[in-house]
Amino acid sequence: MTGVIFISGSRVPFADLDEIRLVAMVSGRIFDVQRFCIHDGPGIRTAVFLKGCPLKCLWCHNPEGMKPEFEIGFFTERCIRCGRCAVVCLRGAQIVGGERIFLRDRCENCGKCVEVCDAEALVLCGREVSTDEVVDEVEKDKLFYENSGGGVTLSGGEPLMQPEFTSEVLAGCHKRGIHTAIETAGFTQWKTLERVLPHLDLVLYDLKFIDSRKHQRFTGVPNEIILDNLQRLAKMKVDIILRLPLIPGYNDSAEDLDEMISFINGFKRFRNPIDVNMLPYHRFAEPKYARFGKEYALKGLLSQSDERIGEIVRLFRKNRINASVD
Amino acid sequence: MVEVNFVEKIETRPERIKRRVQSKTVFNGWFELEKLKMKSYRETLGQPTVIRRARMLEKMLQEMKIFIEPDELIVGSQDDCFDASYNLFAGGLENFTGYSLGFGDYSKLVGIPESQIAEVREFWMNEDYGVEMSQIFTEKDRWASEEAVWFTEPVTGHALADHGKVLNIGLNGIMEDVREKRSLVAGKEKRDFYDALLIACQAAIEFAHRFADLATEMARREEDARRKSELLHIGEVCRWVPANPARNFYEAVQSFWFSYVIQTIEQTPNPYAFSPGRLDQFLGPFLNKDLDKGRITWDEALELTQCLWLKFVVGKKYWAVSQNVILGGQTKDGRDATNEMTRLALETTAKMKTPQPSLSFRYHSGVPANVLKRVAEFLKLGFGMPALHGDDAVIKSLVRGGVALEDARDFGIAGCQEPVIQGCMNARTTATWFNLAKCLELSLDDGVSTMTGRQLGPRTGDPKGFKSFEDVMRAFKLQVEYFLDMMVSAHNKVDRVLAELRPVPFLSAIMNDCIEKGEDFRSTGARYNFSGCLVHGLANVADSLVAIKKLVFESGEIEMDELVEALRINFEGREDLRQKLINRAPKYGNDIDEVDLLAKQIATEVSDRIHIYKNALGGSFRAGFSTPSTHVLYGLRVGATPDGRHQKETLAFGIGPMQGRNRKGPTATMRSVTKFEHWRASHGLAFSQSLYPSDVEGEEGTKKLLSLIKTYFDLGGYYVYINIVNEKVLRDAQKHPESYRDLVVRVHGMSAFFVNLDPMIQEDIISRVANRL
């Protein structure tokens, strides 16, 4: 049997059924692979960032991972004004004159400008990769994982937006004896989560708000399914670390924190202690928004003081939750 | 990050000494010693060289000014041993012409009238050693050295004496041995040699007695009862050691210090990088015995060691005195060697925060977990110590180089990274320096230097005529071989003069085998004789060659003409081409086989080639990839390179990637640099890894740090030092040096006060920290 199938919008011919499986399962969209990650789970890890996320958190620190589509990033400071991008761009999106302007509304992400930009001022964010490619890359640091109790973490974006790919990568890593983790917002159908579980050692599960209206307002989606998934997950045989981004003025009021604590304590009967990782707000992501032509909604927002973070951690610990700051 | 509380309400004795030591910045004593040396040389005219050298040492030990400073428990100083002529980091790098022969113009720097310096300089230049040295270089040698293709120096210092011998049998014991051997030889030359050793040892004993007399005299006048008894005790100790075997820890420390400082005085004004070596091994038994018998408390031992540590600090002359104390490792029979002294030494540096002595630690799989944890916590203090050596790679490399296994297990480090067997090896660690990047530059212009237009190298062809990548490689290899031949021949002449005219009788007495053989250490007295070659610019050459291969010969994106022209004009107006070279070809240090394996191939071929050469005394050359800040200096002499490096820009450090070209973090870099089997570089290699304090925070961070280290050594790593510091802190220190007087960072083989470093070296460190390299 032969024919064509469509993967991520492109036509892929295939020869037989096996090949369909092969082609259909091995491809995914990622935007980065970072080695020596030490804040994304235990030990020394490699983090694979998958492109696309159903949430639009105002504080997102990987704005380039939000859209599933490829995007062009522009690093102004790297531009040497050679003008080649302007020559190849058929839509006139690149202007290199007295001023250097990138008119994003004209851009169709064709990537021609990126190809000619030797200075890497224009970069394509996102690439289609096979699971083998990813697993091979991850495997390079296997010795570091073994010696440190580390492994791979699929992050994003949202890894569960590409469940086949995620599942295959995790399975591939498992096959090669590598500890696996995902970092997820949990906004997905339970069966999707269930699907990746057999290949998963650890879930880093984000919790932003307990109040669904607030969740809707600041992340773009309600949270019932997120909380529900977490409760189900708590009963499964997988390690969980809850990750709490602490955004000043958004989710760190006494009331927010109380809600959070009582929710977490609600499933203590399934697992105890519960590990919670606090992620204090920082502004390091701000420059990335400009590079991808996005507005940063939290401009000017300051981080909490170390004292305040300490207070919050103590509050959780007082409630017998194993909280730490990452 | 682990905090250590350095602030105490009442200044302790070591702190008081430290304050005094740090406030001392001008050291002109070396100049007084030069005068004594000249005086002695005039008196001994016509006598055999080895006797003249012994008499010269005797003269200095008899007549140099001696002091016992307030609070001191350990006496004797090396403050007067170093001149200012090793101007590696002293600024004015543009005028760098090497640092081998005698004195330069430092009168302004040290406040000694120029005429007086000139007088000393002239004396030594007209003396046989100066005359012979100055005749060695041909014009071509001189050109090559000026343009930093290679460099050679007569190696002084850089040795690990068998101080344990002095502690255990005393100089009297050694002299007995010498007398016995002397009675068995007939020739005058041998008898002169043994006589010289006796003169030197006797002078050393009397030097200690001068301190004994001084202490007793000071005690007589001292009003403070406690200090009075301390001085009386110092008197007794100096009366007993180093003449006799040390009877306790205190005497062992003092005896070691005399042994160390006298070898240093013997080689003034340039006893660079003399290193104590395996201090925990030779002091450990004395400490253990005293602790076991309750004769000393931990705190008393700590105070003594702190006093000893401060003896290694010589003002701002961090560059001259990379005094390496290596801890841990294995015993001669392969057991773990860590002991209480290991712990005490680590604690001493953590307390004193002095850059000297430079601490190193020998890592192997049998080091107890609690010791490793201590080492990791120590690293987290952020001053780059201890540097770490992998026993597996180092011992393998030594054994393959002809060192017996039990000796190989007893290696220490002279200066920075170069492995030396304690008491048994003349490694001539800094004998030769070689610049691969300059060779590449020459191979891309038919042997002509881009920097001066001189025909420096052989004519290996106009690159425009190169038909394939192999043609480029061939030209490059021809340049390398031509200059290695030239360098070795020059070095061997230099070394012969050094061996003949600069014997070192005291050092020969405290080394092994010299007495047995009746040969001076500088000649063939040592059990092992090697000459080192420090190879520079590996990453630049690998990155450049892979760029040529890929962009010129594979994709054809760049024409050879265009490339050669762009290099000649230092990429002026060709930033586009430079960016292509940087971004469109893989770079060493990112775990990409295409370029890493090329680097490995070059490193292997160059090492193998170097190992073929023999030095003047029949020993082998050893290849090393260490660049003690000389990558910055040599870079100044190298034109633009096809890795996108501008002319005069620094070269890469040691075996590491080019600064800023590694983008995949420490694990990728470590994998890249270990693709070349490190044991092949039997002269050692340098690799630095910077981490942010946040990378290693807390208990978890300590574990991660240790696993990173373990993995590096599992991969075959030879050496690494880890700077855990923020770029921000270093920038701030540049702006407000007064607030960071105590900030110690790792420079290469040694640590130094950051604010005392030359701005160029500061920038190099910051760039490596910023790039996590």
Side-chain angles (χ1 to χ4, degrees):
Chain A
M1 189 185 119
T2 55
V4 281
I5 56 164
F6 290 86
I7 295 170
S8 308
S10 36
R11 263 166 75 97
V12 179
F14 61 91
D16 56 36
L17 214 60
D18 271 354
E19 204 167 310
I20 296 182
R21 192 168 298 124
L22 198 72
V23 173
M25 283 181 180
V26 291
S27 182
R29 283 194 169 194
I30 64 170
F31 63 94
D32 205 1
V33 177
Q34 272 181 25
R35 294 162 71 172
F36 193 63
C37 284
I38 42 177
H39 299 291
D40 300 280
I44 294 170
R45 309 188 76 82
T46 293
V48 181
F49 295 89
L50 280 75
K51 198 140 166 48
C53 181
L55 276 64
K56 305 263 168 304
C57 307
L58 296 183
W59 52 86
C60 178
H61 63 277
N62 283 333
E64 74 275 35
M66 285 178 169
K67 282 195 211 166
E69 299 81 24
F70 295 165
E71 291 168 83
I72 290 171
F74 179 45
F75 292 73
T76 326
E77 70 281 8
R78 295 184 192 163
C79 177
I80 57 166
R81 308 210 166 197
C82 66
R84 276 185 236 164
C85 52
V87 174
V88 297
C89 182
L90 301 174
R91 300 190 43 94
Q94 301 293 353
I95 297 172
V96 187
E99 254 188 297
R100 172 71 181 93
I101 305 168
F102 179 12
L103 297 169
R104 282 187 184 270
D105 47 348
R106 294 190 188 171
C107 174
E108 281 186 328
N109 290 324
C110 72
K112 286 204 176 82
C113 59
V114 173
E115 272 169 39
V116 298
C117 185
D118 289 335
E120 293 189 345
L122 292 158
V123 294
L124 193 62
C125 175
R127 58 196 160 101
E128 195 86 30
V129 288
S130 70
T131 47
D132 281 354
E133 258 178 278
V134 175
V135 177
D136 286 348
E137 178 70 14
V138 167
E139 198 184 16
K140 285 182 172 177
D141 277 349
K142 194 172 172 211
L143 197 53
F144 289 95
Y145 313 147
E146 283 172 3
N147 283 336
S148 68
V152 66
T153 300
L154 301 193
S155 180
E158 169 57 66
L160 296 178
M161 277 210 21
Q162 301 180 55
E164 271 96 336
F165 177 67
T166 291
S167 173
E168 288 289 301
V169 171
L170 295 174
C173 289
H174 254 186
K175 241 180 239 161
R176 301 193 199 180
I178 295 166
H179 178 272
T180 59
I182 60 166
E183 191 180 5
T184 178
F187 188 75
T188 186
Q189 289 173 298
W190 172 248
K191 64 175 188 195
T192 307
L193 244 173
E194 217 173 13
R195 176 170 186 178
V196 300
L197 273 181
H199 315 300
L200 204 51
D201 298 310
L202 168 69
V203 183
L204 304 165
Y205 203 100
D206 290 0
L207 261 189
K208 285 123 185 170
F209 299 93
I210 303 302
D211 181 335
S212 187
R213 278 164 309 166
K214 278 194 190 172
H215 203 284
Q216 170 83 51
R217 192 165 150 213
F218 298 122
T219 75
V221 299
N223 71 355
E224 285 80 3
I225 192 168
I226 296 176
L227 301 183
D228 187 50
N229 280 339
L230 178 56
Q231 274 163 331
R232 286 194 193 200
L233 197 63
K235 296 174 202 158
M236 310 299 285
K237 261 194 186 154
V238 65
D239 291 333
I240 302 174
I241 297 175
L242 295 177
R243 310 257 280 179
L244 268 57
L246 292 174
I247 314 302
Y250 290 82
N251 69 352
D252 65 343
S253 70
E255 195 192 348
D256 291 323
L257 297 172
D258 279 348
E259 279 177 12
M260 196 71 89
I261 287 167
S262 55
F263 174 79
I264 293 171
N265 276 332
F267 54 89
K268 236 182 186 167
R269 59 204 149 100
F270 304 118
R271 49 180 72 226
N272 201 359
I274 296 165
D275 293 320
V276 173
N277 229 323
M278 305 284 180
L279 311 172
Y281 170 76
H282 61 71
R283 298 163 64 182
F284 303 147
E286 198 172 331
K288 287 209 261 184
Y289 280 80
R291 276 174 214 148
F292 288 88
K294 298 177 188 198
E295 276 294 318
Y296 187 52
L298 304 187
K299 219 165 236 163
L301 184 67
L302 299 177
S303 313
Q304 291 104 336
S305 64
D306 288 350
E307 291 75 36
R308 175 71 185 136
I309 302 289
E311 260 173 47
I312 297 175
V313 170
R314 277 195 297 279
L315 177 69
F316 275 69
R317 286 187 185 161
K318 216 170 76 189
N319 286 280
R320 289 188 297 283
I321 294 168
N322 187 20
S324 61
V325 181
D326 210 1
Chain B
M1 197 170 155
V2 176
E3 291 293 333
V4 168
N5 187 11
F6 297 107
V7 190
E8 284 170 36
K9 279 183 194 133
I10 303 162
E11 227 179 11
T12 62
R13 177 201 308 268
E15 284 163 353
R16 288 195 298 272
I17 300 176
K18 184 183 176 189
R19 192 159 41 80
R20 197 187 61 239
V21 163
Q22 284 192 329
S23 64
K24 210 170 156 183
T25 52
V26 177
F27 296 86
N28 283 340
W30 66 273
F31 197 70
E32 297 308 312
L33 292 186
E34 285 310 307
K35 289 182 188 161
L36 289 175
K37 282 163 65 181
M38 283 157 59
K39 194 168 149 197
S40 169
Y41 250 55
R42 287 186 183 114
E43 288 167 6
T44 58
L45 205 65
Q47 295 181 27
T49 303
V50 68
I51 299 287
R52 294 185 80 187
R53 299 306 286 178
R55 292 287 176 214
M56 188 190 82
L57 174 64
E58 182 187 40
K59 171 77 79 192
M60 288 190 282
L61 295 179
Q62 282 171 349
E63 296 186 24
M64 68 187 283
K65 281 184 199 138
I66 62 166
F67 308 91
I68 296 173
E69 305 269 12
D71 293 310
E72 277 194 328
L73 295 178
I74 304 299
V75 300
S77 159
Q78 55 172 346
D79 285 4
D80 300 338
C81 296
F82 300 93
D83 78 2
S85 75
Y86 205 56
N87 74 332
L88 196 49
F89 312 119
L93 294 179
E94 282 287 346
N95 296 320
F96 172 70
T97 52
Y99 39 85
S100 65
L101 299 175
F103 318 99
D105 173 15
Y106 305 103
S107 76
K108 280 187 208 105
L109 202 69
V110 296
I112 299 171
E114 214 166 312
S115 59
Q116 285 191 29
I117 291 187
E119 191 195 329
V120 173
R121 184 183 156 75
E122 209 182 303
F123 179 87
W124 293 118
M125 289 307 285
N126 290 325
E127 183 259 332
D128 49 4
Y129 178 81
V131 171
E132 293 211 16
M133 279 293 180
S134 59
Q135 287 167 356
I136 289 173
F137 275 15
T138 62
E139 185 173 46
K140 285 215 153 174
D141 288 333
R142 206 163 291 122
W143 285 2
S145 296
E146 271 170 24
E147 297 210 30
V149 192
W150 56 263
F151 186 73
T152 181
E153 66 179 39
V155 184
T156 56
H158 289 95
L160 312 183
D162 186 8
H163 300 293
K165 183 163 79 166
V166 180
L167 307 195
N168 291 318
I169 66 171
L171 290 177
N172 281 335
I174 292 173
M175 286 167 76
E176 223 169 278
D177 196 16
V178 174
R179 281 194 203 98
E180 194 193 318
K181 290 287 173 321
R182 189 189 184 281
S183 69
L184 299 173
V185 297
K188 179 177 181 312
E189 215 171 291
K190 291 273 188 220
R191 283 210 304 272
D192 285 342
F193 168 74
Y194 288 123
D195 285 342
L197 265 57
L198 292 173
I199 294 167
C201 289
Q202 189 56 39
I205 292 170
E206 282 163 18
F207 183 60
H209 289 172
R210 287 181 67 202
F211 279 93
D213 294 343
L214 179 63
T216 317
E217 171 60 21
M218 284 171 72
R220 203 174 51 77
R221 282 179 283 122
E222 179 62 54
E223 282 168 14
D224 180 84
R226 191 175 153 197
R227 183 61 183 158
K228 192 184 191 79
S229 82
E230 283 171 7
L231 285 165
L232 285 171
H233 188 233
I234 291 171
E236 286 162 24
V237 170
C238 296
R239 194 73 65 196
W240 185 256
V241 293
N244 301 295
R247 294 167 299 192
N248 52 47
F249 184 62
Y250 193 129
E251 288 181 355
V253 172
Q254 181 64 67
S255 187
F256 156 69
W257 183 247
F258 274 129
S259 174
Y260 187 86
V261 88
I262 293 165
Q263 67 169 13
T264 306
I265 293 169
E266 180 172 53
Q267 297 198 17
T268 175
N270 41 21
Y272 310 119
F274 261 128
S275 294
R278 304 190 76 188
L279 186 106
D280 58 349
Q281 301 308 296
F282 59 76
L283 284 180
F286 293 92
L287 176 65
N288 277 347
K289 211 163 143 193
D290 279 12
L291 285 172
D292 284 351
K293 294 199 169 163
R295 288 197 299 224
I296 197 169
T297 65
W298 183 263
D299 286 346
E300 284 164 353
L302 181 64
E303 188 180 48
L304 272 177
T305 322
Q306 285 177 289
C307 289
L308 174 64
W309 255 223
L310 292 163
K311 294 281 171 186
F312 291 103
V313 181
V314 189
K316 291 186 176 180
K317 298 191 180 179
Y318 57 87
W319 41 262
V321 283
S322 179
Q323 305 163 104
N324 205 306
V325 165
I326 194 154
L327 305 170
Q330 299 167 56
T331 57
K332 285 192 173 194
D333 56 356
R335 287 171 297 121
D336 175 62
T338 51
N339 59 28
E340 288 298 283
M341 191 64 215
T342 317
R343 201 156 76 85
L344 187 66
L346 285 171
E347 193 175 332
T348 305
T349 298
K351 269 231 153 54
M352 294 318 292
K353 264 187 116 185
T354 51
Q356 293 292 333
S358 189
L359 285 196
S360 302
F361 188 85
R362 281 175 49 179
Y363 178 94
H364 62 96
S365 55
V367 179
N370 63 340
V371 177
L372 278 183
K373 191 168 171 238
R374 198 174 284 273
V375 167
E377 282 164 357
F378 193 89
L379 281 168
K380 286 166 68 172
L381 297 175
F383 40 96
M385 289 195 273
L388 302 164
H389 293 263
D391 264 15
D392 287 352
V394 179
I395 292 171
K396 179 174 181 182
S397 144
L398 286 164
V399 168
R400 291 183 66 107
V403 174
L405 178 61
E406 59 272 26
D407 284 343
R409 285 186 182 133
D410 204 24
F411 82 87
I413 297 299
C416 306
Q417 297 86 23
E418 301 86 342
V420 174
I421 312 306
Q422 187 104 37
C424 296
M425 190 185 279
N426 185 356
R428 294 172 189 77
T429 64
T430 53
T432 60
W433 312 62
F434 197 77
N435 188 345
L436 290 178
K438 188 72 187 179
C439 291
L440 179 74
E441 177 201 316
L442 295 172
S443 62
L444 293 176
D445 203 0
D446 206 7
V448 175
S449 163
T450 319
M451 301 298 283
T452 59
R454 273 181 192 149
Q455 183 75 42
L456 268 188
R459 307 201 61 152
T460 45
D462 181 343
K464 289 165 196 163
F466 291 161
K467 294 279 176 290
S468 67
F469 178 62
E470 284 64 42
D471 289 346
V472 183
M473 285 298 272
R474 194 172 309 120
F476 172 62
K477 278 182 200 166
L478 284 172
Q479 296 290 345
V480 169
E481 286 168 10
Y482 171 84
F483 284 109
L484 280 175
D485 288 351
M486 192 177 177
M487 172 190 82
V488 166
S489 136
H491 166 70
N492 286 352
K493 288 178 209 155
V494 165
D495 198 45
R496 192 166 284 126
V497 174
L498 182 77
E500 271 169 29
L501 299 175
R502 289 290 182 263
V504 281
F506 182 74
L507 185 61
S508 300
I510 59 172
M511 280 283 176
N512 291 314
D513 298 45
C514 298
I515 298 172
E516 190 62 39
K517 291 189 198 171
E519 293 281 352
D520 190 84
F521 175 75
R522 288 251 171 94
S523 181
T524 49
R527 189 173 306 165
Y528 303 107
N529 277 286
F530 295 107
S531 288
C533 178
L534 305 171
V535 181
H536 291 54
L538 176 67
N540 304 94
V541 167
D543 288 349
S544 293
L545 287 171
V546 87
I548 293 175
K549 180 169 178 251
K550 214 176 159 83
L551 301 173
V552 177
F553 293 106
E554 281 173 19
S555 74
E557 282 174 72
I558 298 175
E559 294 289 324
M560 188 55 108
D561 289 21
E562 192 188 4
L563 175 65
V564 169
E565 183 53 27
L567 296 177
R568 189 174 296 145
I569 57 173
N570 192 24
F571 299 115
E572 202 73 46
R574 289 311 310 271
E575 185 60 19
D576 58 331
L577 184 79
R578 198 176 83 89
Q579 290 297 330
K580 195 189 278 290
L581 290 165
I582 293 175
N583 294 317
R584 300 300 195 214
K587 294 289 173 284
Y588 176 63
N590 295 291
D591 201 3
I592 301 167
D593 277 350
E594 190 181 1
V595 55
D596 292 351
L597 295 182
L598 185 61
K600 173 185 172 161
Q601 182 197 333
I602 296 163
T604 306
E605 285 176 13
V606 169
S607 304
D608 288 354
R609 173 85 190 187
I610 288 170
H611 286 122
I612 291 170
Y613 292 104
K614 292 275 178 248
N615 66 23
L617 298 161
S620 293
F621 270 75
R622 304 196 298 182
F625 292 85
S626 320
T627 63
S629 292
T630 33
H631 57 293
V632 181
L633 297 181
Y634 286 16
L636 290 171
R637 298 285 185 271
V638 180
T641 38
D643 56 344
R645 178 190 145 279
H646 281 115
Q647 70 173 36
K648 297 190 180 184
E649 228 180 281
T650 179
L651 303 176
F653 172 75
I655 195 82
M658 180 62 177
Q659 294 82 307
R661 302 284 154 80
N662 61 319
R663 297 177 184 177
K664 290 200 180 153
T667 59
T669 307
M670 284 181 169
R671 275 179 46 99
S672 277
V673 302
T674 51
K675 285 176 193 172
F676 166 63
E677 293 108 335
H678 284 189
W679 55 262
R680 287 183 188 278
S682 60
H683 198 50
L685 53 80
F687 173 60
S688 74
Q689 181 64 65
S690 294
L691 297 172
Y692 309 134
S694 60
D695 290 342
V696 293
E697 241 163 25
E699 282 278 311
E700 268 305 305
T702 304
K703 281 187 208 151
K704 282 171 189 168
L705 175 58
L706 279 173
S707 56
L708 195 65
I709 292 167
K710 178 179 181 341
T711 313
Y712 174 70
F713 289 123
D714 285 351
L715 289 168
Y718 191 107
Y719 167 92
V720 60
Y721 75 78
I722 298 178
N723 262 331
I724 300 175
V725 64
N726 270 328
E727 185 191 355
K728 228 169 93 184
V729 170
L730 298 179
R731 285 281 174 223
D732 200 48
Q734 281 185 315
K735 271 182 227 142
H736 310 286
E738 66 287 352
S739 318
Y740 292 90
R741 277 191 53 193
D742 248 3
L743 176 65
V744 175
V745 292
R746 194 84 186 179
V747 183
H748 48 93
M750 66 209 179
S751 292
F753 290 113
F754 181 77
V755 298
N756 288 350
L757 294 168
D758 182 278
M760 272 180 79
I761 308 295
Q762 287 183 350
E763 285 304 321
D764 178 49
I765 290 169
I766 292 175
S767 125
R768 283 193 275 138
V769 166
N771 291 301
R772 266 214 198 145
L773 194 61

